[in-house]
Coordinates of all heavy atoms in Angstrom, one line a residue:
H255 N 16.9 7.8 -6.4 CA 15.5 8.0 -6.9 C 14.6 8.4 -5.7 O 13.8 9.3 -5.9 CB 15.0 6.6 -7.6 CG 13.7 6.8 -8.2 ND1 13.6 7.2 -9.5 CD2 12.4 6.6 -7.8 CE1 12.3 7.2 -9.8 NE2 11.6 6.8 -8.8
L256 N 14.7 7.8 -4.6 CA 14.0 8.1 -3.4 C 14.2 9.6 -3.1 O 13.3 10.3 -2.7 CB 14.5 7.4 -2.3 CG 13.8 7.6 -0.9 CD1 12.3 7.3 -0.9 CD2 14.5 6.8 0.2
D257 N 15.4 10.2 -3.3 CA 15.7 11.6 -3.0 C 15.1 12.5 -4.0 O 15.1 13.7 -3.8 CB 17.2 11.8 -3.0 CG 17.6 13.0 -2.1 OD1 17.0 13.1 -0.9 OD2 18.3 13.8 -2.5
T258 N 14.5 12.0 -5.1 CA 13.7 12.8 -6.0 C 12.3 13.2 -5.6 O 11.7 14.1 -6.1 CB 13.7 12.3 -7.5 OG1 12.9 11.1 -7.4 CG2 15.1 12.0 -8.0
L259 N 11.9 12.4 -4.6 CA 10.5 12.5 -4.1 C 10.4 13.7 -3.1 O 11.5 14.0 -2.5 CB 10.0 11.3 -3.4 CG 10.0 10.0 -4.3 CD1 9.5 8.9 -3.4 CD2 9.2 10.2 -5.5
E260 N 9.3 14.4 -3.1 CA 9.1 15.4 -2.2 C 7.8 15.3 -1.4 O 7.1 14.3 -1.6 CB 9.0 16.8 -3.0 CG 10.2 17.2 -3.8 CD 11.5 17.5 -3.0 OE1 11.3 17.8 -1.8 OE2 12.6 17.5 -3.6
A261 N 7.6 16.1 -0.4 CA 6.4 16.1 0.4 C 5.2 16.1 -0.5 O 5.1 16.9 -1.5 CB 6.3 17.3 1.3
G262 N 4.3 15.2 -0.2 CA 3.1 15.0 -1.0 C 3.2 13.8 -2.0 O 2.2 13.2 -2.4
D263 N 4.4 13.3 -2.3 CA 4.6 12.1 -3.1 C 4.4 10.9 -2.3 O 4.4 10.9 -1.0 CB 6.1 12.2 -3.7 CG 6.2 13.3 -4.8 OD1 5.3 13.7 -5.4 OD2 7.4 13.7 -4.9
E264 N 4.3 9.8 -3.0 CA 4.1 8.5 -2.3 C 5.2 7.5 -2.6 O 5.8 7.5 -3.7 CB 2.7 7.9 -2.8 CG 1.5 8.7 -2.2 CD 0.3 8.0 -2.6 OE1 0.2 7.2 -3.6 OE2 -0.8 8.2 -1.9
I265 N 5.5 6.7 -1.6 CA 6.4 5.6 -1.7 C 5.5 4.4 -2.0 O 4.6 4.1 -1.4 CB 7.2 5.3 -0.4 CG1 8.1 6.5 -0.2 CG2 8.0 4.1 -0.4 CD1 8.8 6.5 1.2
R266 N 5.9 3.6 -3.1 CA 5.1 2.5 -3.6 C 4.7 1.5 -2.6 O 3.5 1.1 -2.4 CB 5.9 1.8 -4.7 CG 5.1 0.6 -5.4 CD 3.8 1.1 -6.0 NE 3.1 0.0 -6.7 CZ 2.3 -0.8 -6.0 NH1 2.1 -0.6 -4.7 NH2 1.6 -1.7 -6.6
D267 N 5.7 1.0 -1.8 CA 5.5 0.0 -0.7 C 6.3 0.3 0.5 O 7.4 0.7 0.4 CB 5.8 -1.5 -1.2 CG 4.9 -1.9 -2.3 OD1 3.7 -1.8 -2.2 OD2 5.4 -2.4 -3.4
L268 N 5.7 0.1 1.7 CA 6.4 0.2 2.9 C 6.0 -0.9 3.9 O 4.8 -0.9 4.2 CB 6.1 1.6 3.5 CG 6.9 2.1 4.7 CD1 8.3 2.2 4.3 CD2 6.3 3.3 5.3
C269 N 7.0 -1.7 4.3 CA 6.7 -2.9 5.1 C 7.4 -2.7 6.4 O 8.6 -2.4 6.4 CB 7.1 -4.2 4.3 SG 6.8 -5.6 5.3
G270 N 6.7 -3.0 7.5 CA 7.3 -2.9 8.8 C 6.4 -2.9 9.9 O 5.1 -2.8 9.7
P271 N 6.8 -2.8 11.2 CA 8.2 -2.7 11.6 C 8.8 -4.1 11.6 O 8.2 -5.1 11.9 CB 8.1 -2.2 13.0 CG 6.7 -2.6 13.5 CD 5.8 -2.6 12.3
L272 N 10.0 -4.2 11.2 CA 10.7 -5.5 11.1 C 12.0 -5.5 12.0 O 12.4 -4.4 12.5 CB 11.2 -5.7 9.6 CG 10.1 -5.7 8.6 CD1 10.7 -5.7 7.1 CD2 9.3 -7.0 8.7
G273 N 12.5 -6.7 12.2 CA 13.8 -6.8 13.0 C 13.5 -6.9 14.4 O 12.4 -6.8 15.0
K274 N 14.6 -7.3 15.2 CA 14.5 -7.4 16.6 C 14.7 -6.1 17.3 O 15.8 -5.5 17.0 CB 15.6 -8.4 17.1 CG 15.6 -8.7 18.6 CD 16.7 -9.7 18.9 CE 16.6 -10.0 20.4 NZ 17.7 -11.0 20.8

Side-chain angles (χ1 to χ4, degrees):
H255 189 84
L256 177 62
D257 204 51
T258 65
L259 303 182
E260 299 293 341
D263 292 333
E264 291 185 336
I265 293 171
R266 178 65 180 83
D267 294 310
L268 188 65
C269 178
L272 301 169
K274 183 179 180 181

